[in-house]
Amino acid sequence: MGLMEAFFYVIPGIFVVVGVLGVVRTLGRSSEISRAWRHGRTAEARCLRSYTTTSGGGGDAAVTTTLHHVYEFTTAEGRTVRIDEANGRSTVVEGDFVTVHYLPEHPEKATARPPAQGRLAVGTGCTVAFFVVFIVFALVFMGTAHFFFSEADGFAP
């Protein structure tokens, strides 16, 4: 196997690994949020700060802006916890109080999102579908490259 052929296996292989990690991370966070809504505790949290981050914008690429909020709350056990949550409600500003849902064993994974199981399921499903298409594309690319390289072996001296 030459360097060029290895390139056509390694790069798509990295894409597959990234896609699988994306699926695992998405399902894990979705599960955490769902369990916090169903079985967790609630606390009143204060918004300490809100800020935005941007990504993209290189060349003709679109710029994506993400709104973050930093919340602080005290658990039922008296522990003060500070969380940074992305994609929060734009109507929440510094100084506002919101209800957070958290699991007592992992209060640092709290969420200020109001319970919406259906919306969470749809968002998770769309994200997982994207990663699955990403993975399948990489695997098809890798399979196609393998086919062409194996066919080319008969032609090359």
Side-chain angles (χ1 to χ4, degrees):
M1 177 183 342
L3 182 62
M4 180 63 93
E5 190 173 347
F7 176 79
F8 282 97
Y9 293 119
V10 171
I11 299 300
I14 291 170
F15 287 176
V16 169
V17 169
V18 168
V20 169
L21 291 175
V23 168
V24 169
R25 185 169 182 235
T26 298
L27 292 175
R29 182 61 182 151
S30 178
S31 175
E32 289 169 354
I33 291 171
S34 182
R35 283 185 320 195
W37 285 341
R38 285 185 282 131
H39 306 295
R41 295 184 178 163
T42 60
E44 184 177 64
R46 184 166 190 248
C47 179
L48 301 177
R49 178 175 179 234
S50 64
Y51 64 96
T52 59
T53 57
T54 57
S55 62
D60 292 334
V63 174
T64 302
T65 303
T66 304
L67 178 63
H68 296 259
H69 292 94
V70 178
Y71 298 108
E72 186 175 79
F73 66 97
T74 304
T75 66
E77 295 77 29
R79 179 176 165 204
T80 300
V81 178
R82 193 175 283 189
I83 62 168
D84 184 330
E85 186 170 52
N87 298 317
R89 294 175 289 178
S90 61
T91 55
V92 175
V93 296
E94 292 178 28
D96 284 355
F97 288 91
V98 298
T99 300
V100 292
H101 298 264
Y102 69 95
L103 293 170
E105 60 272 16
H106 295 291
E108 67 281 355
K109 295 181 180 182
T111 182
R113 296 178 186 163
Q117 291 286 355
R119 186 175 181 173
L120 179 65
V122 169
T124 301
C126 288
T127 304
V128 168
F130 168 79
F131 281 121
V132 167
V133 169
F134 187 77
I135 291 166
V136 168
F137 176 79
L139 291 173
V140 168
F141 182 86
M142 199 182 306
T144 304
H146 176 74
F147 172 76
F148 282 118
F149 282 120
S150 65
E151 288 295 316
D153 284 343
F155 296 115

